[in-house]
Amino acid sequence: MIHFRRMTVAGMLMMAVMLSVSAQEKKVQKRDKFEYTFDLPVYVEQLKRELTYPMAWGNSPIKNFDKWKAEARKKVFECMMTPPRPAASFNMEVLAEEQRDGYKAQRIAFNVNEYARVTAYLLIPDGKGPFPAINALHDHGAHLYIGKEKMIRPFGVEQEVLDDAQAWADNLYDGQFVGDYLAKNGFVVFSMDAPLWGERGREEGVDRSKYDIIAGNMMMLGRDLCGFMHYDDIYSTDFMATLPMVDRNRIGCLGCSMGAYRAWMLSAMTDRIKAGASICWMVTTDVQMSVADGKREYGGFANCLPGLRQYLDYPHIASLACPKPMLFINGTKDHLFPVRGVKAAFGIMHDAWKSQKADNRLETEIWEIPHSCGLKVQERMLQFFKKNL
């Protein structure tokens, strides 16, 4: 009994020491003078005034839209830094397969670039193809344990992955996997992990705080992590175009949150995409980076392309998708994107589509929803893709 008490006291003392160390570690050292507040420089408004976006459509001296698009795309690719080398062969392999209600699910592996062989999910509708196809681009959510599994119901994996994927779908997508919903309605659907998500993560395990360190190390190697993500989205779309069940002239893309950002970027940067749907990611830099609005960039290097803001803002880049059909939905209850910034961005894009007499192909909508992609939004996307693919 005495020994037990001693052990208990020793344990309590050890716990007290650990808590004391923990408290010391959490103590923040602050100086009376500073230059950054709310994760922004105190002179952020001055920096924003100096962003004139000289390469934007309407600002650029180039008045021919196709020539402008070629030059603006060239600048975006330049800011994406050195690309990963394309794979000599995609060399697709089917790892597992199961029949679902109206479609077949495959877990596949392929070479997305010369450096990385990745696993992905591919959903194929029953019947005779080729079918229209969707590249389903997953979100960020500061949740890196799963990626592609946020878009397509996984199988043949650990129970923890299955549980995590369902919980994520319940939280952000009203319990429905977007990819499975579209496949059941006649679309081939593909989804893979972005770099640092899912099976492309860290050997040491998930740690959001390491994301920016890894991105910095990539930059030291002359590469940009966000740029790699966009190149992989382009390369994976090229891969989709080689599949016999896919109609290469009817490939679209979609995403929510970071997936929405990826969707309009992908639509802007490759002509293989014929239509795109972007849910809950569009704004102007002026509103996104604002102490007054209580807003700043939350995704870190997930959408950081060096130097690009010196030439083009987000809606200017999205306008490179013109004149193809595009659907944008944002929410009045979305705490990440203030409505005034969303409306300003939508206005810029509509000016571009109007200039090409294609404004009927740009659909921008503001719903009374939070940062999410629920059943009604998914139904709206399905209608959009049935109409345009």
Side-chain angles (χ1 to χ4, degrees):
M1 181 65 71
I2 294 174
H3 178 68
F4 173 76
R5 284 177 178 171
R6 284 177 179 173
M7 289 294 293
T8 302
V9 171
M12 290 173 66
L13 288 172
M14 180 62 71
M15 183 176 294
V17 170
M18 291 173 65
L19 289 172
S20 176
V21 171
S22 177
Q24 290 175 8
E25 288 177 347
K26 289 181 179 180
K27 183 179 179 181
V28 177
Q29 293 180 304
K30 298 172 69 173
R31 299 290 296 268
D32 292 336
K33 296 188 68 175
F34 56 88
E35 193 168 333
Y36 296 85
T37 180
F38 198 64
D39 299 331
L40 292 169
V42 294
Y43 42 84
V44 61
E45 295 302 322
Q46 181 180 341
L47 294 183
K48 289 193 298 182
R49 286 194 296 271
E50 294 174 11
L51 296 176
T52 59
Y53 308 119
M55 290 197 71
W57 176 246
N59 294 346
S60 169
I62 303 173
K63 302 307 177 186
N64 178 281
F65 194 81
D66 290 337
K67 289 182 179 178
W68 168 78
K69 181 184 288 190
E71 287 301 308
R73 270 187 178 175
K74 181 179 177 182
K75 179 56 69 175
V76 177
F77 277 126
E78 178 184 312
C79 292
M80 284 164 59
M81 300 177 67
T82 307
R85 292 179 181 270
S89 169
F90 291 119
N91 192 22
M92 173 185 158
E93 175 188 6
V94 178
L95 304 176
E97 184 175 284
E98 73 174 20
Q99 183 64 39
R100 296 182 178 175
D101 184 15
Y103 59 100
K104 178 170 57 182
Q106 292 183 339
R107 183 175 172 84
I108 66 171
F110 76 106
N111 301 323
V112 69
N113 56 49
E114 188 178 283
Y115 318 124
R117 183 167 180 80
V118 302
T119 54
Y121 285 110
L122 184 65
L123 306 181
I124 307 166
D126 294 344
K128 181 176 173 57
F131 303 97
I134 301 293
N135 194 340
L137 307 161
H138 69 74
D139 60 70
H140 187 305
H143 187 70
L144 282 65
Y145 181 64
I146 55 173
K148 58 188 178 296
E149 299 88 357
K150 296 177 179 181
M151 306 305 289
I152 291 175
R153 180 163 56 84
F155 71 103
V157 293
E158 303 94 323
Q159 187 63 44
E160 185 176 1
V161 174
L162 297 174
D163 294 343
D164 200 53
Q166 187 61 61
W168 197 259
D170 291 343
N171 181 56
L172 198 64
Y173 300 96
D174 272 354
Q176 179 169 265
F177 289 92
V178 180
D180 292 75
Y181 174 62
L182 291 171
K184 193 172 182 178
N185 281 278
F187 291 84
V188 169
V189 182
F190 166 91
S191 191
M192 72 173 191
D193 298 321
L196 279 184
W197 269 265
E199 294 173 288
R200 303 182 73 184
R202 299 170 65 247
E203 178 183 5
E204 301 85 354
V206 175
D207 185 345
R208 173 66 181 86
S209 69
K210 301 297 185 183
Y211 188 102
D212 295 343
I213 295 174
I214 292 171
N217 287 334
M218 288 285 285
M219 200 163 287
M220 292 296 289
L221 295 167
R223 310 300 174 96
D224 181 67
L225 185 61
C226 178
F228 263 45
M229 177 176 70
H230 293 311
Y231 277 116
D232 283 355
D233 289 343
I234 293 170
Y235 294 166
S236 65
T237 305
D238 292 340
F239 162 69
M240 292 173 65
T242 69
L243 299 175
M245 74 289 293
V246 169
D247 183 340
R248 60 186 301 164
N249 295 313
R250 292 192 291 161
I251 300 177
C253 64
L254 65 82
C256 174
S257 193
M258 183 185 78
Y261 163 74
R262 294 167 65 193
W264 58 253
M265 277 291 295
L266 181 59
S267 300
M269 299 307 292
T270 176
D271 292 331
R272 284 206 186 278
I273 293 294
K274 305 304 180 184
S278 178
I279 311 303
C280 292
W281 209 119
M282 180 48 66
V283 73
T284 59
T285 295
D286 178 57
V287 174
Q288 180 197 34
M289 310 289 276
S290 171
V291 175
D293 286 298
K295 300 299 174 188
R296 76 276 206 201
E297 173 50 42
Y298 298 92
F301 276 85
N303 66 310
C304 178
L305 299 176
L308 184 54
R309 209 59 67 242
Q310 295 294 319
Y311 308 97
L312 299 156
D313 200 359
Y314 299 118
H316 304 139
I317 303 166
S319 294
L320 291 168
C322 177
K324 68 182 66 171
M326 294 291 295
L327 170 66
F328 289 84
I329 297 175
N330 271 68
T332 58
K333 301 175 184 178
D334 189 336
H335 67 284
L336 295 179
F337 301 104
V339 172
R340 71 182 185 91
V342 174
K343 287 183 175 179
F346 286 174
I348 290 169
M349 291 188 291
H350 275 290
D351 286 344
W353 264 261
K354 286 175 183 176
S355 75
Q356 303 308 300
K357 298 179 172 55
D359 197 45
N360 62 319
R361 297 181 184 177
L362 176 62
E363 302 179 52
T364 57
E365 302 172 3
I366 297 178
W367 292 29
E368 290 188 20
I369 57 172
H371 194 74
S372 63
C373 185
L375 299 180
K376 292 294 185 181
V377 175
Q378 293 179 44
E379 182 181 353
R380 177 70 181 91
M381 286 195 295
L382 175 61
Q383 294 170 352
F384 171 79
F385 284 121
K386 281 188 172 182
K387 172 184 173 183
N388 293 292
L389 292 180

